[in-house]
Amino acid sequence: MNRLLVVFLSLLVGSVFAHTNEHANLGKQASSIKASGKVFHQSISIIRRMHPEFLHHKRDKTLRQGVRTDEYSLKGCVSCHANKNKTNNQYHSVDKKGQFCSDCHQQVGVSLDCFSCHRTTPKEGFL
Amino acid sequence: MNKTLNRRDFIKTTSAATIGVATVASGITLTTFASANKVPVTNEKRWGMLIDTNKLTEADIDGMVSACQQEQGWGSEVHSTGAQRPDWIKKLKVKDKATGKISNLALMCQHCEEPPCVDVCPTNASMKREDGIVLVDKHLCIGCRYCMMACPYDARSFVHETLSNQKEHMPRGKGTVEACTMCVHKVDKGEAPACVVSVNSDAVIFGDLYDASSQISQTLKTVQSTQIRADLNLNTGVRYSGI
């Protein structure tokens, strides 16, 4: 029984780690940053947990006060985390099924309306 | 940052547009993130525009309209009927009944100091920035369209259909109100609005109405200019001469 529990637990832990460490769809820019061993977000757990607050704060700062820094810009999230379709060299929308933002949101049961207005791929001409 | 700067100098230097290329930790450069305004805008400036209808040709106005469409990404709505289609800036013919003189003018949000659209908004979405630019905070807009009814210039539009492939700097979506932003995304980088840039002559001048040495203030001091519906006392940021 105990052995079974250990097997079960290690499977569970394994799958959690598998999820937390593997993001096959991290995005074109973000993947190459990660591959190069650099960090962008100071802490993964903070960006995971706090990004809704960061984004809401940022949007008021930008729209109502004209503060246009890069930090926590929604344009930035999209530019870095959008994946490219290897066959036609076009970007996938970040909110499409299976893509970076929507994949996780679907798992946790969150739905966003941001992308009814905000562009879902990096801007035209972005490499 | 030099530690001896006082607060005002700091604001002056950091709000000056710096078109730079941000380098991410990895050494990958992201030209999209050319940095701009880092501090909130203040009421030390008030952005305005002066349109000289004697110099402005009809072709100029058409050019202004298409420059606006291109910059902001409106005008290709296929499912909206004529009256539903967005109209951020339009060509208007006005005739002086007494003399018969016809003038063509470009009409867009007049960026009032006392904007009626802001007064009527139930959610605070319709707003005026400290530097006088009147905007819709679409994050708060519930699409009630009171502001459209309150505006004496018919300057605002409502998005009637689902959109995609918007401009990165101009998110737009069904169910919210929109209007001329005086190209706030460019102004915050120290650039002039797209329609102003599109006109080759000095028929349209953009600048800071509070800066006595700016071209717009200097010109306003010397030529006869007017506000459209000046009787409403809205103190518009967009002024006209030649009408």
Side-chain angles (χ1 to χ4, degrees):
Chain A
M1 180 67 205
N2 263 350
R3 190 166 300 164
L4 213 68
L5 196 66
V6 168
V7 169
F8 178 71
L9 274 180
S10 58
L11 271 177
L12 195 72
V13 169
S15 66
V16 166
F17 276 110
H19 171 66
T20 50
N21 290 332
E22 285 316 314
H23 251 288
N25 60 359
L26 195 59
K28 187 169 174 283
Q29 282 259 0
S31 304
S32 49
I33 289 175
K34 190 173 182 180
S36 73
K38 301 287 163 80
V39 269
F40 177 74
H41 301 294
Q42 276 176 8
S43 149
I44 291 289
S45 73
I46 288 179
I47 189 72
R48 269 185 204 153
R49 238 175 326 123
M50 298 296 288
H51 68 274
E53 282 76 12
F54 293 153
L55 281 165
H56 289 152
H57 183 68
K58 171 70 181 181
R59 86 181 175 188
D60 294 343
K61 278 283 211 202
T62 302
L63 206 152
R64 304 187 78 95
Q65 304 185 345
V67 175
R68 292 183 183 273
T69 49
D70 309 334
E71 203 180 23
Y72 304 126
S73 146
L74 186 53
K75 298 182 191 92
C77 320
V78 172
S79 312
C80 243
H81 285 295
N83 286 291
K84 232 175 189 177
N85 179 333
K86 296 212 172 58
T87 45
N88 66 6
N89 211 30
Q90 300 280 314
Y91 277 104
H92 292 293
S93 297
V94 286
D95 66 331
K96 270 253 269 323
K97 196 163 177 288
Q99 296 303 308
F100 181 70
C101 305
S102 51
D103 196 21
C104 182
H105 290 154
Q106 202 175 16
Q107 277 189 48
V108 295
V110 178
S111 67
L112 309 181
D113 72 343
C114 317
F115 295 113
S116 62
C117 289
H118 283 269
R119 191 177 169 85
T120 55
T121 52
K123 79 167 175 206
E124 305 91 331
F126 192 82
L127 298 177
Chain B
M1 194 64 53
N2 187 335
K3 286 233 173 66
T4 59
L5 285 181
N6 64 27
R7 184 181 142 275
R8 180 134 301 168
D9 287 338
F10 176 77
I11 290 173
K12 273 195 201 136
T13 48
T14 49
S15 62
T18 45
I19 313 285
V21 176
T23 313
V24 184
S26 62
I28 292 180
T29 47
L30 297 164
T31 34
T32 39
F33 298 158
S35 62
N37 219 6
K38 292 186 174 59
V39 291
V41 294
T42 68
N43 59 7
E44 282 165 30
K45 278 190 167 66
R46 179 167 182 220
W47 296 114
M49 231 187 253
L50 174 62
I51 300 179
D52 185 339
T53 58
N54 284 331
K55 289 184 193 156
L56 196 69
T57 65
E58 277 194 60
D60 284 341
I61 300 177
D62 294 337
M64 289 171 80
V65 175
S66 57
C68 181
Q69 291 181 328
Q70 250 178 36
E71 180 68 30
Q72 308 281 27
W74 59 275
S76 47
E77 293 72 16
V78 286
H79 299 294
S80 301
T81 64
Q84 292 176 335
R85 265 186 218 118
D87 220 353
W88 292 29
I89 170 170
K90 51 189 151 238
K91 182 160 75 176
L92 212 67
K93 253 186 181 33
V94 290
K95 185 173 173 182
D96 185 332
K97 280 194 189 129
T99 61
K101 182 185 185 244
I102 292 178
S103 325
N104 289 300
L105 43 102
L107 190 77
M108 70 296 261
C109 172
Q110 303 286 293
H111 299 279
C112 309
E113 186 172 26
E114 308 284 347
C117 57
V118 174
D119 289 344
V120 299
C121 180
T123 65
N124 231 347
S126 200
M127 55 161 284
K128 190 182 67 171
R129 286 202 333 176
E130 286 293 306
D131 59 1
I133 298 180
V134 176
L135 295 174
V136 180
D137 183 342
K138 295 181 194 173
H139 302 115
L140 304 184
C141 179
I142 55 170
C144 73
R145 289 166 267 178
Y146 284 180
C147 58
M148 292 175 67
M149 281 180 268
C151 176
Y153 307 102
D154 189 26
R156 286 193 166 177
S157 311
F158 181 76
V159 181
H160 285 264
E161 60 181 85
T162 307
L163 304 173
S164 59
N165 200 24
Q166 293 90 332
K167 300 284 175 193
E168 188 188 47
H169 55 264
M170 183 35 67
R172 306 173 57 225
K174 184 175 173 178
T176 54
V177 171
E178 57 182 16
C180 160
T181 64
M182 220 178 236
C183 284
V184 69
H185 61 288
K186 298 184 77 189
V187 171
D188 284 342
K189 285 190 289 183
E191 299 169 20
C195 62
V196 179
V197 175
S198 78
V199 178
N200 284 324
S201 63
D202 61 353
V204 184
I205 304 172
F206 167 80
D208 180 6
L209 297 170
Y210 289 168
D211 174 3
S213 63
S214 67
Q215 189 194 0
I216 189 166
S217 303
Q218 293 286 330
T219 316
L220 281 168
K221 222 184 275 175
T222 53
V223 304
Q224 182 72 39
S225 68
T226 184
Q227 307 173 37
I228 296 180
R229 290 300 307 271
D231 56 314
L232 297 173
N233 284 327
L234 303 174
N235 189 7
T236 59
V238 180
R239 306 288 175 107
Y240 294 83
S241 62
I243 50 171

